[in-house]
């Protein structure tokens, strides 16, 4: 990633707003901040996953630029409702927490979900229509997080299965 300063954009544009962990809008020490001013707690959000902290910062930067008041943004962030099948908690069944993340159709989204739930994941369902994704990094995460049960669906399930077998062979 390059910053506004590294691209020397500030010398050409006067209306730039940066966001992210080190910029104008950022999250730091449990708070969303504008420069050094604490805006509100990062716990005031329904949006899971740490990478969404930067997404919220981007939304705050845009909202500020177009004049949306901070209290309106804060309320939206506190009450945001996910799409169905996107990190949807289905409750506890037989002592296990069930999360429906079926709308996450890329390996990158699945990796973010694995990072979010970590070692709590016991079973994962993968595969479906083959969109020619590379699943190599995903397979590494499956092993690193010790996911015990993997259910695979055609067509891409076969590709994932082959990578899982190759990974096992490499680890032995």
């Amino acid at each position: 990633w390059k910053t506004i300063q590294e691209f020397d954009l500030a010398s050409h544009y006067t209306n730039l707003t940066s966001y992210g962990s080190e910029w104008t809008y950022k999250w730091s020490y449990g708070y969303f901040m504008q420069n050094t001013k604490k805006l509100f707690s990062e716990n005031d959000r329904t949006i899971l996953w740490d990478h969404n902290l930067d997404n919220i910062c981007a939304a705050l930067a845009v909202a500020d630029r177009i004049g949306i008041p901070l209290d309106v943004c804060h309320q939206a962030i506190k009450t945001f409702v996910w799409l169905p099948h996107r990190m949807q908690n289905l409750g506890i069944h037989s002592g296990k927490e069930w999360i429906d993340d079926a709308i996450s159709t890329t390996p990158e989204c699945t990796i973010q979900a694995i990072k979010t739930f970590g070692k709590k994941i016991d079973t994962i369902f993968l595969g479906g229509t083959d969109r020619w994704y590379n699943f190599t990094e995903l397979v590494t995460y499956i092993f690193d997080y010790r996911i015990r049960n993997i259910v695979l669906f055609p067509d891409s399930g076969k590709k994932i299965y082959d990578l899982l077998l190759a990974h096992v062979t490499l680890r032995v």
Side-chain angles (χ1 to χ4, degrees), residues 70-134:
L70 178 61
D71 62 323
V72 172
C73 297
H74 187 196
Q75 185 62 27
I77 290 164
K78 289 191 321 186
T79 60
F80 180 83
V81 178
W82 287 97
L83 294 169
H85 312 291
R86 183 75 173 124
M87 300 297 293
Q88 184 178 4
N89 189 321
L90 301 177
I92 307 283
H93 303 282
S94 300
K96 302 278 185 189
E97 182 178 21
W98 288 74
I99 304 295
D100 178 359
D101 200 28
I103 204 168
S104 291
T105 59
T106 68
E108 294 78 13
C109 286
T110 305
I111 288 168
Q112 290 301 324
I114 290 171
K115 287 179 177 179
T116 297
F117 292 104
K119 304 280 183 179
K120 292 177 16 178
I121 301 172
D122 182 67
T123 303
I124 191 166
F125 295 80
L126 301 169
T129 302
D130 190 352
R131 294 184 178 96
W132 301 278
Y133 291 126
N134 183 335

Side-chain angles (χ1 to χ4, degrees), residues 14-172:
T14 58
N15 61 347
L16 296 174
T17 302
S18 57
Y19 71 91
S21 55
E22 300 177 14
W23 312 112
T24 304
Y25 284 91
K26 61 189 169 211
W27 52 274
S28 181
Y29 300 106
Y31 290 91
F32 288 101
M33 302 180 72
Q34 181 182 20
N35 296 314
T36 58
K37 177 184 171 191
K38 290 180 181 176
L39 301 176
F40 51 88
S41 170
E42 72 176 47
N43 293 326
D44 288 354
R45 63 186 171 110
T46 60
I47 303 170
L48 302 176
W49 303 350
D50 285 349
H51 78 277
N52 279 318
L53 295 169
D54 281 341
N55 292 340
I56 291 170
C57 290
L60 289 169
V62 169
D64 180 38
R65 182 62 64 190
I66 62 175
I68 298 174
L70 178 61
D71 62 323
V72 172
C73 297
H74 187 196
Q75 185 62 27
I77 290 164
K78 289 191 321 186
T79 60
F80 180 83
V81 178
W82 287 97
L83 294 169
H85 312 291
R86 183 75 173 124
M87 300 297 293
Q88 184 178 4
N89 189 321
L90 301 177
I92 307 283
H93 303 282
S94 300
K96 302 278 185 189
E97 182 178 21
W98 288 74
I99 304 295
D100 178 359
D101 200 28
I103 204 168
S104 291
T105 59
T106 68
E108 294 78 13
C109 286
T110 305
I111 288 168
Q112 290 301 324
I114 290 171
K115 287 179 177 179
T116 297
F117 292 104
K119 304 280 183 179
K120 292 177 16 178
I121 301 172
D122 182 67
T123 303
I124 191 166
F125 295 80
L126 301 169
T129 302
D130 190 352
R131 294 184 178 96
W132 301 278
Y133 291 126
N134 183 335
F135 296 102
T136 305
E137 186 177 7
L138 174 59
V139 166
T140 300
Y141 275 89
I142 289 168
F143 278 94
D144 289 349
Y145 281 80
R146 293 178 164 47
I147 299 173
R148 296 182 325 137
N149 304 299
I150 305 158
V151 180
L152 300 170
F153 297 97
D155 294 314
S156 61
K158 172 72 169 109
K159 289 167 70 173
I160 298 168
Y161 177 79
D162 291 342
L163 286 168
L164 289 165
L165 285 180
H167 202 83
V168 168
T169 304
L170 289 174
R171 291 186 143 204
V172 174

